[in-house]
Amino acid sequence: MSVKEIMRKKARDLEAFTPELADFTVEEIKKTLGLDRVAKLSFNENPWGPFPTAVEAIKKAAFSLNLYPDAVAKELRQALADLYGLPANFFVLSNGADEMIALLAQTFLDEGDEVVIPFPTFGQYFSSVTLMGAKPVKVGLKDYKIDLESVYNAITERTKMVILCNPNNPTGTIITGDEVKSFIRDVPEDVLVVIDEAYAEYVEDFKFISGTKLVQEINNNIIVVRTFSKIYALAAARVGYGVAKPEIIEAINKVRPPFNVNVLGQVGALNSLFDKESVERIKNYTMKAKRELYHFLDKLGISYVPSETNFVLIDTGKDCVEVFEFLAREGVIVRTADVWGLPTHIRLTIGSPEDMEFFYRTFKKLYE
């Protein structure tokens, strides 16, 4: 008997994550390409590194790696509760936002359920849903934005969940607070609305309202997914969390493995959470760098989608794979958007000033 025959049926056709060049570490990319200088602008990582207070706390915590961490992350959950003004039992921690998405699928989805997902968006939603035997129902964007009317119209009696990425990856666009409120009030109460806010700390638009402000206000099933991987610069520590009413949190905890968030991640997150000065500094730099990028692209006559995140979706007007290969040979790594059905687009992370200048010099060569 082959391994495939004894695999879970819904897992057989899933693709294993096979890292490509854009997924490699900087050192791996340098070695692969034989380059001394590489600007990795493909993963939406914070270029400034973790906050100093987090680094010091992680160093101290390393001496206790022989001990299991707090299985329910009480201290971190209480800190999140203090930050958001919610009770601690509204929070559950996960091994990055990716695990939270997987836990939601494992907790709530049965064979044959439907999950409405605007597309293009973050790919983890589809694999988690499919693995549980549920059916992802794709709804196209409108002018690169999530069209909530179309999402609502896609809901059927078999719909168990709706997943909204806000701001959306890879477009960087948002759904406004009023739009979210109106949508949630219309959605049947037995449909779980998942709002993935991985990039929320970068949002400038005052019309944006976090779903964390709605979990107590609106009598529907809402869960907000957040992460410490982006503006808090703890991508390698793998800390995500969900915010929802206690009955939803209790359900997730029945599925969540104990000790799923390691001690280094817990203390790193705890010591990053209230560093408002660092968060504001990074947000301000990102805003400024995006405006410089827009100016650069406008001068070249290249179109792009104005973004509320730390990345920008750019229409190069050329085959995005060829653009990627050209930039990579020069040492600039971006993300191609062909996987999202956008064959001429790339997604560019806002990097350090040096990396952005490197991108500008290299990208211009495509149009000379």
Side-chain angles (χ1 to χ4, degrees), residues 51-85:
F51 303 165
T53 51
V55 173
E56 288 305 311
I58 288 170
K59 286 179 181 178
K60 292 179 182 178
F63 290 101
S64 64
L65 287 178
N66 57 310
L67 304 175
Y68 285 99
D70 178 355
V72 295
K74 291 187 292 293
E75 194 173 0
L76 180 53
R77 284 171 51 239
Q78 185 58 57
L80 288 165
D82 294 342
L83 179 69
Y84 289 107

Side-chain angles (χ1 to χ4, degrees), residues 185-328:
R185 289 194 179 101
D186 290 340
V187 171
E189 289 188 12
D190 59 351
V191 174
L192 182 65
V193 179
V194 179
I195 307 176
D196 183 352
E197 295 184 350
Y199 298 92
E201 289 87 357
Y202 287 103
V203 176
E204 302 173 54
D205 194 328
F206 69 92
K207 294 179 182 177
F208 174 85
I209 296 176
S210 171
T212 59
K213 297 184 182 300
L214 307 179
V215 292
Q216 279 186 315
E217 294 178 13
I218 299 176
N219 189 30
N220 278 66
N221 290 329
I222 313 165
I223 180 159
V224 179
V225 179
R226 287 268 187 143
T227 182
F228 284 89
S229 294
K230 303 305 177 185
I231 207 165
Y232 291 106
L234 290 173
R238 311 309 302 131
V239 186
Y241 58 100
V243 189
K245 290 181 178 176
E247 51 267 37
I248 295 176
I249 300 300
E250 289 169 11
I252 296 167
N253 275 326
K254 292 182 178 182
V255 175
R256 181 186 64 85
F259 315 116
N260 61 325
V261 181
N262 68 76
V263 68
L264 303 185
Q266 288 189 37
V267 299
L270 185 62
N271 286 273
S272 300
L273 191 59
F274 292 100
D275 191 342
K276 294 181 180 179
E277 183 179 339
S278 293
V279 169
E280 198 64 23
R281 173 176 51 80
I282 293 162
K283 181 177 179 178
N284 288 339
Y285 167 75
T286 305
M287 291 163 54
K288 178 175 179 288
K290 278 191 296 187
R291 280 152 182 69
E292 291 172 354
L293 173 62
Y294 299 159
H295 179 67
F296 168 79
L297 295 172
D298 286 339
K299 286 174 66 176
L300 286 179
I302 305 296
S303 64
Y304 55 89
V305 182
S307 171
E308 295 290 338
T309 66
N310 68 332
F311 60 83
V312 177
L313 186 67
I314 300 169
D315 186 353
T316 67
K318 302 175 183 289
D319 183 300
C320 67
V321 175
E322 293 180 3
V323 171
F324 172 86
E325 291 173 348
F326 173 81
L327 294 176

Side-chain angles (χ1 to χ4, degrees), residues 62-178:
F63 290 101
S64 64
L65 287 178
N66 57 310
L67 304 175
Y68 285 99
D70 178 355
V72 295
K74 291 187 292 293
E75 194 173 0
L76 180 53
R77 284 171 51 239
Q78 185 58 57
L80 288 165
D82 294 342
L83 179 69
Y84 289 107
L86 293 167
N89 62 352
F90 274 61
F91 297 87
V92 60
L93 274 292
S94 60
N95 189 252
D98 300 68
E99 190 196 31
M100 183 56 63
I101 293 159
L103 288 173
L104 289 170
Q106 293 166 21
T107 304
F108 295 104
L109 298 181
D110 288 307
E111 190 95 18
D113 286 340
E114 293 182 353
V115 179
V116 180
I117 307 173
F119 183 82
T121 196
F122 185 42
Q124 181 66 40
Y125 309 147
F126 298 94
S127 55
S128 294
V129 168
T130 301
L131 183 61
M132 300 312 300
K135 177 186 176 183
V137 178
K138 288 184 180 180
V139 176
L141 305 186
K142 187 175 182 180
D143 297 326
Y144 298 102
K145 297 180 180 179
I146 293 173
D147 179 11
L148 288 179
E149 182 178 355
S150 297
V151 173
Y152 179 79
N153 290 336
I155 295 173
T156 70
E157 60 183 16
R158 303 192 73 167
T159 303
K160 179 72 73 70
M161 185 183 291
V162 172
I163 304 178
L164 305 173
C165 190
N166 192 31
N168 187 45
N169 178 12
T171 59
T173 54
I174 64 162
I175 317 164
T176 69
D178 288 344

Side-chain angles (χ1 to χ4, degrees), residues 7-14 111 127 130-134:
M7 282 181 69
R8 196 169 185 273
K9 290 180 181 178
K10 294 299 179 180
R12 292 175 185 173
D13 295 326
L14 293 178
E111 190 95 18
S127 55
T130 301
L131 183 61
M132 300 312 300

Side-chain angles (χ1 to χ4, degrees), residues 31-47:
K31 185 176 179 180
T32 301
L33 298 178
L35 297 172
D36 295 324
R37 171 80 165 94
V38 164
K40 186 187 175 192
L41 304 174
S42 57
F43 248 40
N44 303 338
E45 294 157 322
N46 184 329

